[in-house]
Amino acid sequence: MAEVEQLSEELTTLKRVVQTSLHRGQLAKGVHEVCKAIESKQAKFVVLADDCTEDTYKKLVIALAKQFQIPVWKVEKGALLGEWIGISKFLTKTKKIKSRKCSSVAVKDFAIEVSENEKQFVEDKIKAL
C-alpha cells in the first residue's frame, strides 16, 4: 500500500513539474526537440515512455542522454505523457475523446510555480536514476 502511495506521489509531482514547465516554455517534446535539448545540454532530465513501440527511438534518446549525462525518468504509458502535455482530446474533464501518446519530453528548467519541496523531490529522484 505504501508503494502505491509513493508511486502516486512521484507521478503527481512529475506531472506538476512537466505541466508547469510546458506552460513556461521550458519543455521539449517529441524526438527532434528532445534530442536537440539533450545535445545542447539544456535538458535537466528526460521523461521517456516505456510503452514506446519504436525501439530505435528509445535507444536514440537513452544513448544521447547517457552520452551527455542527462538522467532518464521512465513512465509506463505514453498516453499519460500525452494527457500531461495536452495533446489528448477531452469532451469534459473526465471523458476522453481521443488518447494520443507522447513518447518523450525533456524538462529544460523548473518553472517558478514549482515549490522547493517538489524541486528537491525531483532532484533526489533523478540523482537515484
Side-chain angles (χ1 to χ4, degrees):
M1 187 72 158
E3 287 182 23
V4 173
E5 288 177 13
Q6 182 181 3
L7 184 62
S8 176
E9 181 185 345
E10 285 180 13
L11 288 178
T12 303
T13 304
L14 180 61
K15 175 182 177 181
R16 177 158 163 70
V17 168
V18 167
Q19 286 182 334
T20 54
S21 296
L22 172 70
H23 294 295
R24 290 290 177 184
Q26 296 296 321
L27 189 76
K29 47 197 182 294
V31 69
H32 180 71
E33 288 184 26
V34 169
C35 289
K36 194 174 169 182
I38 292 171
E39 289 174 341
S40 64
K41 296 184 180 182
Q42 290 180 328
K44 292 231 184 256
F45 65 95
V46 174
V47 182
L48 181 66
D50 264 345
D51 68 345
C52 178
T53 56
E54 284 291 324
D55 285 334
T56 54
Y57 182 103
K58 286 169 63 173
K59 288 178 184 176
L60 172 67
V61 172
I62 291 170
L64 272 176
K66 187 175 182 179
Q67 179 182 353
F68 290 97
Q69 300 167 347
I70 294 174
V72 177
W73 189 329
K74 293 187 179 180
V75 294
E76 287 184 26
K77 299 186 181 201
L80 192 63
L81 274 178
E83 286 179 26
W84 292 354
I85 65 170
I87 60 174
S88 293
K89 305 234 186 237
F90 289 89
L91 184 60
T92 63
K93 286 190 176 195
T94 56
K95 186 172 181 182
K96 192 184 308 182
I97 295 174
K98 185 175 183 180
S99 179
R100 292 190 58 202
K101 293 181 180 181
C102 176
S103 295
S104 65
V105 295
V107 175
K108 296 179 187 177
D109 201 5
F110 294 104
I112 57 174
E113 292 87 2
V114 176
S115 71
E116 284 299 317
N117 290 340
E118 292 170 326
K119 192 176 185 180
Q120 189 63 44
F121 179 80
V122 170
E123 287 175 347
D124 290 343
K125 176 69 177 172
I126 60 178
K127 283 179 185 174
L129 294 175

